[in-house]
Amino acid sequence: MPISQIRTTIRTKPAAMAVTALMATSLTVAGPLPAPTAAAHDKPHGQSGTTYYVDCRSGSDTSSGTSAGRPWRSLAKASRTYEPGDRLLLRRGTSCTGVLAPTGSGTAALPISVDAYGKGAKPRIDGAGARAAVLLLNVEGWELRNLDLSNTGAPTTTDRRAGLLVRLTDHGVGRHYVVDGVDVHDVNGADFKDPDPSGGILFSVTGSAVPTRFDGVRIEDSTVRHVDRTGIGTSSTWGRRPEHPNGPGTSWEAITGLRVQRNQVYDVGGDGIVVQTAKGALVEHNYVNGFNMRSAGYNAGIWAWNSDDVLYQYNEVTGGHGTLDSMAYDIDGGNNRNVYQYNYSHDNQGGFLLVCNGSGMTTHGNRVRHNISVNDRNTMAPYGVISVVCAATTDTQVYGNTVVTDQPGTALISNNGPTGVTFRNNVLVGAAEGSPVNDTVSAYENNLYWRTAQPRDTSAVTADPMFLSASPTAPADVRLRPGSPALGAGLPITDGVTRDYFGNRIPTPPNLGADQARNGR
């Protein structure tokens, strides 16, 4: 069953750029890498293969294509079979219309690469309403860099479209893919999520005959802007396992070696960054601004589905639109041992965090720690800044976070029945009018409450946390002043983590909330 249908079935009906510069240097979000200064057509040391050139303005398909002076003209000509070590270079400052759909496979040692040559803006490929501007089908060992992709056709409710689509169908294991410095924008695909979605940068597994997955995917230093419906995402038709017994396919073929890092995602119709059917993925230093902007389904900023051991850190999510989810972060169905740490969430209409296991699925051992939420909200019951809904999870621990809102009419935490969540050592601050904690089920221990309350927390600290700013609008504003009742008031937690959001060493005993500076600021 598609995720959107599962979520509709199980859900009870409702009754500024980059992570703050004040973080330590090692925690600061990096911007896009600068363009290389060496000539783009210079071969990397030790690389074999042939280099081909495309100039959609001045080339000719009758040319050899093997020199910058005799380039091909069309994407159709360039959509040929390549060998390991080959390179396909598109001329900067030019625009091509159509689909680049090359074939052939490289290896990690001898990848096939697509890049730019010459001077000027990144070469543009306009898919003009096709399935994708760049389409890689049942190939591996590919690296794509320095491209500008768009794919706008007639308005549609039926056609799937993407900027970049890498798809494996009944292929087995596909290894080594790099997407680096690729800009995707203006993709108006239909509102399809699973399987085979529309969106910006997509890695999709389809088919049912041969167990298939990706191994070794890096998506980095790229931008996605104004696309429908998924910004950056993975999907798979091989998702069945005990933790997801009704999943597609006959086995769980998880993507391995997935890295999604230092990307910027703006104005997406649905999900910002979604990882599906993965194991051991790393999602870090990404910026998402504006998600769930046009979709009719449930969407979140950065989240996973049916995935284990995913680490999300140093991300910033803002601009979640609407209240069909629209949370920045999400622990969802079939997620096990996932960790959200050192993330920043602010000004999302759907809130900071969703905990929502799927019916009949197992979601266990997840951690949400050392994050900051500022002025998130969700005013639609039974939701809140933090929402615990859907089916129960087990051993979900939310600790050492600072959550503050100035938005009236929102609960800080809301739970409509599921169990399995523990809140410990958090700082929870409501709006001036008060923001309730509507939760009679979850466990609460040793949290600080201000302009809110949780009577079931028998070790509660009820006091003004004494933030640096009385009206926080940024992470630095929620640092603690000397004399704060949160200083040294935490319970020790043995998890191997030694630093906080700001790079401070965590003392013993710890402070409450995300700021662990020993004596405040």
Side-chain angles (χ1 to χ4, degrees):
M1 181 182 295
I3 292 174
S4 58
Q5 293 180 25
I6 293 173
R7 294 169 79 89
T8 301
T9 301
I10 63 179
R11 189 180 302 276
T12 301
K13 290 183 180 179
M17 259 303 295
V19 177
T20 175
L22 289 169
M23 298 171 72
T25 301
S26 61
L27 309 186
T28 301
V29 173
L33 294 176
T37 55
H41 55 275
D42 290 343
K43 260 183 205 176
H45 178 69
Q47 180 169 333
S48 61
T50 303
T51 300
Y52 300 89
Y53 298 81
V54 176
D55 180 345
C56 287
R57 181 175 58 213
S58 304
S60 171
D61 285 351
T62 62
S63 297
S64 65
T66 55
S67 71
R70 301 194 65 191
W72 295 326
R73 185 181 185 90
S74 72
L75 297 176
K77 182 70 173 181
S79 296
R80 64 183 296 279
T81 300
Y82 294 90
E83 300 295 331
D86 285 352
R87 304 177 77 207
L88 175 64
L89 304 181
L90 281 69
R91 185 173 179 178
R92 289 180 175 272
T94 63
S95 181
C96 305
T97 300
V99 179
L100 177 62
T103 57
S105 289
T107 66
L110 288 175
I112 302 168
S113 60
V114 180
D115 207 330
Y117 77 98
K119 297 180 180 180
K122 295 177 182 179
R124 181 180 180 187
I125 298 176
D126 179 0
R131 180 62 186 94
V134 175
L135 183 63
L136 298 180
L137 300 179
N138 278 5
V139 299
E140 54 189 299
W142 280 80
E143 299 184 355
L144 292 86
R145 294 182 169 85
N146 301 311
L147 302 176
D148 180 308
L149 309 179
S150 62
N151 191 8
T152 302
T156 182
T157 59
T158 59
D159 295 341
R160 291 170 167 84
R161 293 173 181 152
L164 167 63
L165 174 61
V166 184
R167 182 198 289 154
L168 298 178
T169 302
D170 295 328
H171 176 82
V173 181
R175 294 182 169 86
H176 189 75
Y177 305 83
V178 175
V179 180
D180 181 0
V182 173
D183 300 327
V184 180
H185 56 94
D186 300 304
V187 177
N188 64 337
D191 191 15
F192 289 112
K193 186 167 187 168
D194 305 296
D196 202 17
S198 294
I201 298 173
L202 304 174
F203 281 75
S204 171
V205 170
T206 61
S208 59
V210 178
T212 297
R213 66 181 178 89
F214 291 100
D215 174 56
V217 175
R218 292 199 339 256
I219 306 170
E220 57 192 19
D221 299 302
S222 296
T223 65
V224 175
R225 187 184 301 269
H226 190 59
V227 305
D228 292 311
R229 59 169 316 283
T230 299
I232 298 173
T234 68
S235 60
S236 177
T237 56
W238 291 90
R240 181 168 296 189
R241 58 175 176 152
E243 293 84 352
H244 188 10
N246 296 318
T250 56
S251 60
W252 187 62
E253 305 299 329
I255 300 171
T256 53
L258 174 63
R259 302 290 182 266
V260 183
Q261 52 199 16
R262 301 184 306 277
N263 302 289
Q264 300 172 20
V265 177
Y266 303 86
D267 185 23
V268 293
D271 295 305
I273 298 173
V274 56
V275 174
Q276 299 189 52
T277 318
K279 183 174 178 60
L282 175 65
V283 182
E284 66 176 1
H285 293 297
N286 299 288
Y287 177 71
V288 176
N289 186 343
F291 61 95
N292 203 19
M293 302 300 289
R294 292 168 292 278
S295 173
Y298 294 97
N299 301 281
I302 298 179
W303 66 290
W305 171 263
N306 196 22
S307 296
D308 292 353
D309 305 301
V310 182
L311 177 60
Y312 311 84
Q313 57 185 7
Y314 314 132
N315 301 291
E316 178 177 349
V317 177
T318 186
H321 174 71
T323 51
L324 285 181
D325 287 5
S326 293
M327 295 82 178
Y329 308 109
D330 175 12
I331 295 171
D332 218 286
N335 288 345
N336 300 281
R337 300 174 304 279
N338 291 355
V339 175
Y340 285 99
Q341 64 183 17
Y342 310 132
N343 299 290
Y344 177 38
S345 169
H346 62 101
D347 303 291
N348 292 289
Q349 291 182 10
F352 158 54
L353 175 68
L354 175 67
V355 180
C356 176
N357 188 23
S359 179
M361 302 177 74
T362 298
T363 291
H364 174 79
N366 297 283
R367 300 291 182 262
V368 181
R369 62 196 184 200
H370 307 296
N371 304 284
I372 294 175
S373 166
V374 175
N375 299 335
D376 291 317
R377 63 197 181 278
N378 194 324
T379 59
M380 182 180 291
Y383 303 106
V385 176
I386 298 175
S387 302
V388 184
V389 295
C390 311
T393 65
T394 53
D395 189 28
T396 298
Q397 297 189 26
V398 181
Y399 61 89
N401 306 283
T402 294
V403 179
V404 54
T405 188
D406 65 357
Q407 301 295 306
T410 187
L412 273 180
I413 302 174
S414 185
N415 184 323
N416 69 341
T419 59
V421 182
T422 298
F423 294 89
R424 182 182 292 115
N425 284 4
N426 301 288
V427 170
L428 304 170
V429 177
E433 300 84 352
S435 302
V437 173
N438 297 327
D439 187 354
T440 62
V441 180
S442 302
Y444 288 81
E445 184 179 19
N446 209 62
N447 302 283
L448 183 149
Y449 305 87
W450 185 240
R451 297 196 290 265
T452 188
Q454 172 51 281
R456 297 174 54 250
D457 189 341
T458 59
S459 53
V461 175
T462 303
D464 182 346
M466 298 175 59
F467 293 145
L468 278 183
S469 172
S471 301
T473 59
D477 295 340
V478 303
R479 293 180 300 172
L480 303 173
R481 288 185 281 138
S484 167
L487 295 172
L491 299 172
I493 295 176
T494 303
D495 60 4
V497 178
T498 61
R499 298 283 178 174
D500 74 352
Y501 177 97
F502 300 101
N504 301 307
R505 185 171 294 278
I506 298 174
T508 302
N511 300 340
L512 301 178
D515 181 12
Q516 294 296 314
R518 165 52 80 189
N519 297 311
R521 305 285 176 167

